[in-house]
Structures are given as structure tokens and as C-alpha cells.
Amino acid sequence: MQLRIENLSKSFGDLNVLIDLNYTFKKGNIYAILGKNGSGKTTLFNCISEEMEFDKGNIYLNNEIINHQDVGFVYTIPMLPEFLTGYEFLTFFADIHQDKGLNRDDVDSYFERIDFKEDDYHRLIKDYSTGMKNKLQMLCIILTKPKVLLLDEPLTSLDLVAAMNMKKELLKIKDDTIMILSTHILQIAKDISDKIVVLNKGKLIDVDETDENFEQTIMEILQDE
Amino acid sequence: MNEILFRLKYNSLLHWLINSKIVSKIFRIKENAYRDYQLKADLQKYMPVFSVFYDILKHLIYLLVFILASFEASDFMIWFILLMLAGFSTKVLDYDENMKILFQSFKIPFKDIFYFKLKRRFINRFTYALIFPLGFSILIKNFRFLPFMIFSIFFFMYFAESFTLLIYKMKKPGYLQYPLFISLILICIIFLILQINPYYLLILMSIYIVVSLILIYKQKRVELFFDIFMKNIKSFDESIKSIEDLYTKETEMDKNVNPKKSLSIIKKYKSYNLYQYLFLSRHKRIWYKPLRNSSLIQLAVYLIFTGLFYFDALPDVDYQMIIVILTSAYIYLLYALDTGQRLIKAYYRNGDYHLLHYAFYRRKNEIYKQFLIRLKDAFVFSLLPITINLVFSLIWIIWFKMPLSVTLNFFVSIAFFTLFFNINYLFVYYIFQPYNYSLDKPKFVLTIFGILTYVFVYIDKPWLSYKYLAIIFIIILILYIILSTILVYHFTPKTFKYRD
């Protein structure tokens, strides 16, 4: 399974964010896209998930035009209906995704995977901390095992233990999915990914992680204005 | 200062001009022109001209709306509203984001800003003070009071600002300013109603103008005015927040939510039924309270009329007229409560906006499934008022021998509008999705719909006496529901999206 991007271009007014971008992501790898703030990481994700129309190009999943139903998108700001409790939301989510093997009777075990205390199960989501909301959102997306998993700035708002647990969860599903995460923190990219790709001047550039000067290379690419 | 303001304010306008193909071709504006300071400076010369035309057009539109509204409202009510607007929309001493920047970043003196704003608003005030009284006089076909009206509008504009300056030391000037302001308007209206020569009032107004001018002139220290201005600026962020709160408060979930009951609810409901049940049970203040209150009002009014019929207290009154009044009042009540719109706002802001970020929530079948559940609930909300109406209609027909056709028209009209106000916003929501997250920039289609509803609510309703009204309403409602449901099924995957 592979995700192929061909000649993707996207601009906002006279600002060209993605310029004839070509790249192929393969299943079984975790890709980390590094880029400066405003380099177009979120725009690229929005194009892949069809949440934003692009000006030119094509995105294929296994040689077919990608369908947004194949994409799971974990947002930087957690998107959850805050009038529900965590338990209610997971139950509702499991009901909807029965076809993907989710079961409302397993909600307790889902919570255990993200280290929620039992007291928190029945609290309203609006009273959760941002880290808790992030964990819940990421769990929901991971549970649906999407073919393509996009993670926009994940782990940054999680504490050390939560980040380690989420990393384990991501590694569990790595073999069955194309996983792409965006970050501007090099350490996160190094820790979790198999391949680091730099987004600069609207294009994706591969970086060889085995090269001992690869950090220097990244800096040079990003500073090359 | 003009240059700074121009840079601050008109960049977006220029950008829009450039992006508009026709305009850019006519004026030969190139794509990078908005960076060209010289071009900006040139265009600035034309801005006041656009501004004047815009003001005149705006006031003409307002006038049109007032004329439409006046078919039902009294003339003096309109005059009252005009005077209120004159005073409350006066904003020379007010502030905005641009003023804040001028003050804090560019250190422009207060006096310069004050006079600059005064000059800029002169044309706006002039058109308002001229167009409205003229339109109003044409409407009531009486030009006797025209000079008085023009002068009084100018006076109220002056009063709103001068009084702020005079009482600047008070901690909460609104307590004194607004009651006084409203009292003055009432005095003006009494003068008009009783046909007292308004020039007596003009003498009082002139005295106020002279005295206040002397007092303001005596306050030579510019810092006093600066203080007032700064006081406003300090509260700028708070003001913006309070405006935002107005939108969000409207859709807030109930405060006394008890999640402990949720396990029993989870056992009972599944999937979207679970979601919808929990949503409604935690937003009762949005749908349940208005429904309860309106039903109580409806019940009380029907009981009063039943009592009047029973004691034969309305022997000479036309039954048809009573029905028209009751139906009009009911439609106005539904419009004022606006439950349908408040509910879809809450659907969007508290749930759908977040869930539309998930792929599953955008599937055609999932959207349709949830739409049908919400449509069913809209019908359920209508049951109580329709039942009350049915019971009383039957009592009036059987007991008081009221004409069957008129009472049937009444029953069907009430049922039709109850259902219409509950389900129509739901259709609009799914087909146009008119909101952004902060609910402050609804799509134009919703504004148009709002204006049409407003006009409809206020205009005369001669169709209430049509012989076949009941059949027509039933057919319209059935067709409307079928057509809208088909549209929702086919188009919502493209239209039902989140907007930031």
C-alpha cells in the first residue's frame, strides 16, 4: 500500500505553499515531516484528507484517487463534543464503528490503553485537560485503523508518560498503515519516525537519518531561503 | 493620521478589489498593487466618495425596512426607534481596534482623533438626520414636523456624546445617561402625539446645547477627554469578549448536568440516538424552556378566550378577526423565541463542528441518519402546542358552535407554523450550513431568510380567511418536507461541512 502525491500545488492568494510536490509514502513506515512554522505542513495534511481543495495535482492511494474515508486525522487542537463524558463519547464512537471491530463493551479496556483513571471516565470532556483530550482523540483515530494516519503536531501537548504510551500505540498499528506526522521538534521526529522528510519551499525533501551530519543537513535546508 | 488609518483599514478592501476580475480590469490594478503605497494614497482620495454613497444606500435600505415594518407597527413607534438609534449609534467617543493602534502605537493626540472621527461621521449623520425624517414624513403624509425631527435627531446625537463628557467622573454613567435619554425621547413623542408645538421643546434643547457647550469648553484640560477615551480602550478586549460571549452563551449547555445517570442512558440508547438523547438532555434551556413557556402562554390565552366565549363577553366581535389576531400573535411568539435557530446553532457549535473533523461523520448515510433523528425530534417538539390547539379548537367547535371552516383554518395554521419554525432551520442548516465556529459570520443566505421571515411575521395576513387554507397548508408542508429531505440526502455530503 502506498500513498502517491503527484504535482500537488496549493496557494493562498499570491502565497504559494505547496509547489508541484511529488512524494510517495509507503505502508509500514512512520514518516515525520519537519518544517518551519507556516511551511505548509497542515495544508499538506488538509489536502490529503480532502478537507481543503488543492489547485493542481493528484493524490493516489494504491493507484486510486484517495477517499477521505481512508484517512484518519489527529488534529493539534483536540476535536471532541464537550457536552459528553469521555465514556459516552467512546461508547457512541464504538457504536458507529462496529464494522471496524469496535465494541461498546470494551470501552473500559480502551480507556486503559490511554491510562485514564476510572474517575475520569464519567467526567464531561469539557472538564478534561488538553492532554487528556488529545489522548482521547488520538485513541479514537487509532482504534479505527485508518489506511492513512495523519498526526498534526502530536505528542507535543502530552506529558512524558502519555507520550511514551501513545508512541507504543502508534507502533502497534504501524505495519498496517501509512503514518505521517508533522512536527517542528526534531527530537520527536527522531524518536518516533523511520523516515524524516523536510517540507521546504513547497516541496518535500528526503533526509538520510543515518548520515552523522543529518541534523546539520536539515538546518541547511531550512535556512536555505 | 489619514495615511495610517488608510493602511490599517483599506488593505482588505484593496485586496478584494484586486481579486475581483472585473474591477481589476477596469482600473488596471495589478496583482501586487496592494503593496504599492502610492496607489493606496491615490485610492484614498476616492474613499470618502464611496463612503458617502454607501451611507446613503445603507440609510435607504433601513428606511425601506422601516416602511415595510410600519404596515403593522404604529408610526410613533417608528419615530421612537429612530430617535433611539440616533443616540445609541453615536460613536465619536467610542473606540475600535484602529483607534487603539493610533493611540498606543502612534501616540496620536486625543484631540486629533476626536476631530478626525467627528469629521468622518458628519456625512453619515447628515444623511441619517435628513433621509429618515423625510421618509417618515412621506410615510405619515405630514411635513409639519419635518424641521423639528431633523433638529431633534441632531440634538440626540449631540446629547449622547456631550452628556458622556459632562458626567465622565461618574463610575457608571449609564445609570444616569440612559434613563435620561429615554425620558427625553418619551417627552418628544408626547409632544408629537398631543400635537403640542414642538418649538417649545426646541427651546429646551437649545438651552441644553448652550449650557453643555460652556461647561465642556471650561474643561480645558484635554486629559479629561483622554481619560474617558483611555477608559474605553482599557475595556476594549473585555468588550470584544463580551460580544463573543453573547454568541457562545446562546448555545451554552445546561449548568446542572449530572453525568452519573449516563450509564443507564447508555444501556437504553445506541449510536446517534444516544448522541441525540444526551445532547437534548443537556441543552434543555435551549429547547425545553421556550417550549414550556410558550405552551403556558398559549394555554393561558386560549383559556381567557374560552372564558370570554363562555360568558358571552364578545357578542359583537367577529370570530374570524379573533382567529387572525391569535394566529398572528402565535407566529410572532414563535419568531421571538427562535428555538429552531438556537437549537441548530447549539448542534453546530457544541457537537457537529468537532465531529465533522472525523471522516465517519461526513459519510452520506451517517449525515442522513442523524438528520432523520433530528427531524423526528423537531416533530416531537411540535406535539404539545399542536395538541393544546387541537383540544381548544374542538371545544370551540363543539361547545361554542364556532364555524368549522374558520376553526379548521386556525388549527391547521398553528400546526403548520409550529412545524415550520421547528423544521425549517434544520433544513437550512443541513443544506447551507451557514455558520462558522464562533457563529458570528453567518452565510448571506441565512440573513436573507431572516429578513424574509421578519417581513412575513409583521405584514398583514389576509390569507388566514381563505376557504381552502387548511388543504393548501397541508399540501405545502408535505411537499416541503419531502423535497427538503431529498435535497438533504443528495447534497449534504458536499454542503454539510465545518467552517472556522
Coordinates of all heavy atoms in Angstrom, one line a residue, chain B residues 25 42 79 119 122 155 158 187 217 286 303 373 394 402 440 470:
Chain B
K25 N -9.8 44.8 -14.0 CA -9.6 45.1 -15.4 C -9.9 46.5 -15.7 O -9.2 47.2 -16.4 CB -10.5 44.1 -16.2 CG -9.8 42.8 -16.6 CD -10.6 42.1 -17.6 CE -9.8 40.8 -17.9 NZ -10.6 39.9 -18.8
D42 N -3.4 57.2 -3.6 CA -4.3 57.8 -4.7 C -5.8 57.3 -4.4 O -6.7 58.1 -4.6 CB -3.8 57.3 -6.1 CG -2.5 57.9 -6.4 OD1 -2.2 58.9 -5.8 OD2 -1.9 57.4 -7.4
W79 N -40.9 56.3 15.0 CA -40.2 57.6 15.4 C -39.4 57.4 16.6 O -38.3 57.8 16.7 CB -41.3 58.7 15.5 CG -40.7 60.0 16.0 CD1 -41.0 60.7 17.0 CD2 -39.7 60.7 15.3 NE1 -40.3 61.9 17.1 CE2 -39.4 61.9 16.0 CE3 -38.9 60.5 14.1 CZ2 -38.5 62.8 15.6 CZ3 -38.0 61.4 13.7 CH2 -37.8 62.5 14.5
K119 N -15.4 64.6 11.9 CA -15.5 65.0 10.5 C -16.0 63.8 9.7 O -16.8 63.9 8.8 CB -14.1 65.5 10.0 CG -13.9 66.9 10.2 CD -12.6 67.3 9.5 CE -11.7 68.1 10.5 NZ -10.3 68.2 10.0
F122 N -19.6 63.1 10.0 CA -20.5 64.2 9.7 C -21.5 63.8 8.6 O -22.7 64.0 8.7 CB -19.8 65.4 9.3 CG -20.7 66.6 8.9 CD1 -21.4 67.3 9.9 CD2 -20.9 66.9 7.6 CE1 -22.3 68.3 9.5 CE2 -21.8 67.9 7.2 CZ -22.5 68.6 8.2
F155 N -29.9 66.8 17.7 CA -29.8 67.1 19.1 C -29.5 65.8 19.9 O -28.6 65.8 20.8 CB -31.1 67.7 19.7 CG -31.1 67.8 21.2 CD1 -30.3 68.7 21.8 CD2 -31.8 66.8 22.0 CE1 -30.3 68.8 23.2 CE2 -31.7 66.9 23.3 CZ -31.0 67.9 24.0
Y158 N -25.9 64.8 19.5 CA -25.1 65.7 20.3 C -25.2 65.3 21.8 O -24.2 65.2 22.5 CB -25.5 67.2 20.1 CG -24.8 68.1 21.0 CD1 -23.4 68.4 20.9 CD2 -25.5 68.6 22.1 CE1 -22.8 69.3 21.8 CE2 -24.8 69.5 23.0 CZ -23.5 69.8 22.9 OH -22.9 70.6 23.8
I187 N -40.6 62.4 26.0 CA -41.2 63.7 26.0 C -41.4 64.2 24.6 O -42.5 64.8 24.3 CB -40.2 64.7 26.7 CG1 -40.2 64.4 28.3 CG2 -40.6 66.2 26.5 CD1 -39.1 65.1 29.0
Y217 N -16.4 73.5 27.3 CA -15.4 74.5 26.9 C -14.5 74.8 28.1 O -13.3 75.0 28.1 CB -16.0 75.7 26.3 CG -15.0 76.7 25.8 CD1 -14.2 76.5 24.7 CD2 -14.7 77.9 26.5 CE1 -13.3 77.4 24.2 CE2 -13.8 78.8 26.1 CZ -13.0 78.5 25.0 OH -12.1 79.4 24.5
I286 N -32.3 25.4 26.0 CA -32.4 25.9 24.6 C -33.8 25.5 24.0 O -34.4 26.3 23.3 CB -31.3 25.4 23.7 CG1 -30.0 26.1 24.1 CG2 -31.5 25.7 22.2 CD1 -28.7 25.7 23.4
L303 N -57.4 29.8 27.3 CA -58.4 29.8 28.5 C -59.1 31.1 28.6 O -60.3 31.1 28.9 CB -57.6 29.5 29.8 CG -57.3 28.0 30.0 CD1 -56.3 27.8 31.2 CD2 -58.6 27.2 30.2
I373 N -33.1 11.6 12.6 CA -33.4 11.6 14.1 C -33.7 13.0 14.6 O -34.7 13.2 15.4 CB -32.1 11.1 14.8 CG1 -32.0 9.6 14.5 CG2 -32.2 11.3 16.3 CD1 -30.7 9.0 15.0
L394 N -61.4 22.0 19.2 CA -62.6 21.1 19.3 C -63.6 21.7 20.3 O -64.8 21.6 20.1 CB -62.1 19.7 19.8 CG -61.4 18.9 18.8 CD1 -60.8 17.6 19.4 CD2 -62.3 18.5 17.6
M402 N -68.6 27.3 17.1 CA -67.8 28.2 16.2 C -67.8 27.6 14.8 O -67.8 26.4 14.6 CB -66.4 28.4 16.7 CG -66.3 29.0 18.1 SD -67.1 30.7 18.0 CE -66.8 31.2 19.7
D440 N -20.4 34.1 14.4 CA -20.6 35.5 14.2 C -20.6 35.9 12.7 O -20.8 37.1 12.4 CB -19.5 36.3 14.9 CG -18.1 35.8 14.5 OD1 -18.0 34.8 13.8 OD2 -17.1 36.4 14.9
A470 N -56.6 25.3 4.9 CA -56.1 24.1 5.5 C -55.5 23.1 4.5 O -54.4 22.6 4.8 CB -57.3 23.4 6.3

